[in-house]
Amino acid sequence: MNLCNLEALVPQYVRQFEAYIPSPPDDELQQMFGCSRLIRMNNNENPLGPPPAAAAFLQSFDPALVSRYPSGDCRPLRARLADYLGVTPSQVILGNGANEVIAFVIKAFCQQGDNIVTADRTFAVYEWIARFSGVDARLAPLNDFGFDEEGLLARVDSRTKLVFICNPNNPTGTWWSRDRLIRFMERLGPNHIVVLDEAYAEFMDQPDYPDGISLLSRFPNLIIFRTFSKMYALAGLRIGYLVGTEQVTDIVRKTAIVYSVNTLAQSAALAALGDQTFITATRSLVQEGQQMLAAQCAELKLPILTSDCNFAMIKLPFSDTLAYRLLMQQGYMVRTMTGFRFPGWIRVSIAGREAMQGFCTALSRLVHSRTDQSPLAKVYGVF
Amino acid sequence: MELKVELVPERMPVVVAFAESAAKSAGLAAPETTMLALSTEELFLALCSSIPGAGITVRFQDRRYAADLLFQVPQPPDLRIFNITSRPDHETEEGLAEMGLFLASRACDQFSIRQMELGGWEIMLRKERNYPAPVQQSQPHPAVQTWQLTTSPAPDLVKQFSALIADSFAACQFPEEFTPPGRLLDKLASNEYGIILAQGEQGELAGGLIWHADEGRMVACFGPYLAAPTEPEQLTIALCEKLTEQFGRSNRLGLVLYAPQQPPVAAGFEAAGSLAIPGGTIWTGYRMLAEEFGADAAVATELMPFYTDWCSSMALARNIRAYHDDGETANGLTLFATRLNRSTGMARLTPLLVGRDAEAVLEEHLQLLDQEQFSAIYCTVDTGRPFDALLAPHLLKRGFTPRMLVPWGGTGDLIHLHRAGGSR
């Protein structure tokens, strides 16, 4: 093939897109940054690991089963989820992580020339999938760190197919109450689909935090996303799902990839679902970790955004990407927020007590070390 | 607009006519149009002798402030012609083969060659428009207490900003293309440049900064240039953070900031070194936009102290390999892309290929630049391209000193070296 022609084959919106590069394995990073161990506090994983029943299942899994295809449409799990959530099995569609479910929905409803509307500083994958699918992503600025109804509504037009609301929002942890969500749905009207991403719903312990699924009968244009990656600690198995009215899921099913959720993930999710003791233990761990972080930030005079979620955002008086590199040298991996359009902020996942104590010490050391001017810079005659 | 022809001399009038039409349609005046047409003629004939008969696509791009002609060829031409030190020699066959693009490299504002990502080579001739000199109208700048930022200011505000820069800042603190106002407005309209301005409550200009995002992975940023805010540090932080926010979720890896009035460390910029340029020395800052996972780096022994010091200061994770010249076979030739700015006396050499003839080719370039009275010469070496390391000892021997490090500025990190005129 003449390589010159390859460029002509690639759509402009793909050509402009930069591939996401995930982080290398821990051993490579440790070697590169010279740290003896690495604690990942960047992906909002649950440090408790999966619920006991899921862990027991994984330990006893029969390898012979992997030679067979999984349930193509996750039938047993859908039935269990439907029962748990109070919907019918056909209202549930599972995917290889919530990211895949986002792609199903965008593919189902959008074509070139259409647009999606979401916030400018939220989970990036809505925007990414839209853009590399040739769909415009219209972004409303956050207001006081939260989704802004007015900004979202102002960007909606006749070509808006989907409005994505991350509730609670990753990375700020802010959330809309039930009343606020209802008010927004009423003002938006029925001509657009609203995707309510509830990836962190199980962490929420607030009486007026809305259960989006309970609003489906009132607002059939709602789709709710959830995941087993966060609370249920099955991130490595990649499994997430959406719930909508049957009318909506019948459409999304057309673009859903069957057999994409593996046997292990389906069965582990079945075992994990609804373990209230585990959820309570996780919430308790998160609360303790948030308090530790808040106290440390108060001492260092750093602004912090805490919430019920298993992450917090901290504002630093210097570059977040520099902080990332310096914390990596101490063995702590956080998420920089420049990529979320929050320059100077880091997002820290709540870890176990020992890791949190270690992180607080590392953060303190980092902040104190940066208050002095760089001695090297003086040598070279610059600030 | 594009033209497809074969590389045979008979097609030359067609290509020149294309260049002339393109230049006129882009609003270039007659002298600039003639320069571009003559450069096109010279380049086309050079390509005809280098890769005779090959198919070529000539594309025209109107950048508002300039007309670009892009010559896309499927295979590399004889790259020696791109060294500006190659001189016309019509006397012998050998001389013809080595004839350089003397006119193109001098008559055009930019003359460059690059290997295209998906195959083929592209040679660019850029000729910029001329703009009328600004009418001198210094405006008072009242103190501004509160401000709002805008990324799409009205043209009149941009003109005020251009005037502010020209009136209040030394020439070494801003690129000349930010004045006159017409040129700055056209640069902004090209979408390669962007601006963030701060306005007070009455719409008065409080300050701003300008960025330039070309095809690389870095964004060059200039400023902030402030009028008279009551809290300059707060405005500096606001402007720099807005800038970072704009590129936070983009395919860019970093921001390089030139000549701020105060180093905006609180806004996330780290010291990256300093640049001595005619008229003064400017602070340069760096802001990495992405999380980095470390990299391998090949560095000449002579540059090792500078590089390791800066890696340590910037907390860069690098597997550094000292690169020695062990006599292995390198590229067959050395090729520099040269960018000249005659009005400021600055020249920038970027090694595209480094071969066994590096020392001689470098020496030729320096002699020529000295003869033509360039007072500041810059060169970059890329730690991601091991053969670049071969060039470093020759640069240091000829008076260059490392001044600045831009992580991920090239394939790997870019070390910027500088040689003041006559400092050999």
Side-chain angles (χ1 to χ4, degrees), chain B residues 332-411:
Chain B
L333 58 94
T334 297
L335 174 67
F336 287 107
T338 310
R339 192 174 287 191
L340 307 175
N341 187 328
R342 289 180 192 278
S343 62
T344 57
M346 291 160 65
R348 195 171 78 198
L349 301 173
T350 306
L352 299 179
L353 294 171
V354 180
R356 285 267 150 244
D357 59 350
E359 184 168 13
V361 175
L362 175 66
E363 181 60 30
E364 285 170 12
H365 276 75
L366 295 180
Q367 278 178 9
L368 178 74
L369 293 171
D370 283 344
Q371 278 165 23
E372 300 197 9
Q373 307 203 326
F374 283 91
S375 56
I377 304 169
Y378 305 90
C379 187
T380 52
V381 292
D382 188 334
T383 63
R385 302 188 335 156
F387 280 117
D388 275 17
L390 292 176
L391 190 60
H394 306 309
L395 288 167
L396 297 179
K397 200 168 128 191
R398 280 160 182 77
F400 281 85
T401 51
R403 298 300 299 252
M404 177 181 166
L405 181 70
V406 178
W408 297 109
T411 308

Side-chain angles (χ1 to χ4, degrees), chain A residues 127 320-321 335-336 376, chain B residues 249 270 287-288 291 313-314:
Chain A
E127 185 184 334
D320 52 335
T321 50
R335 176 67 75 215
T336 60
L376 172 71
Chain B
R249 193 173 287 178
E270 305 164 48
R287 174 63 155 89
M288 194 179 284
E291 292 167 4
S313 170
M314 297 173 107

Side-chain angles (χ1 to χ4, degrees), chain A residues 114-118 126-128 130-131 134-140:
Chain A
D114 290 339
N115 65 70
I116 68 155
V117 172
T118 188
Y126 323 130
E127 185 184 334
W128 286 344
R131 293 226 156 109
V135 173
D136 184 25
R138 297 181 169 189
L139 308 176

Side-chain angles (χ1 to χ4, degrees), chain B residues 144 146-150 196-201 204 206-207 235 239:
Chain B
V144 174
T146 59
W147 58 80
Q148 281 200 323
L149 301 183
T150 173
I196 303 170
L197 294 183
Q199 281 179 281
E201 283 174 0
E204 67 275 33
L235 180 54
L239 287 163

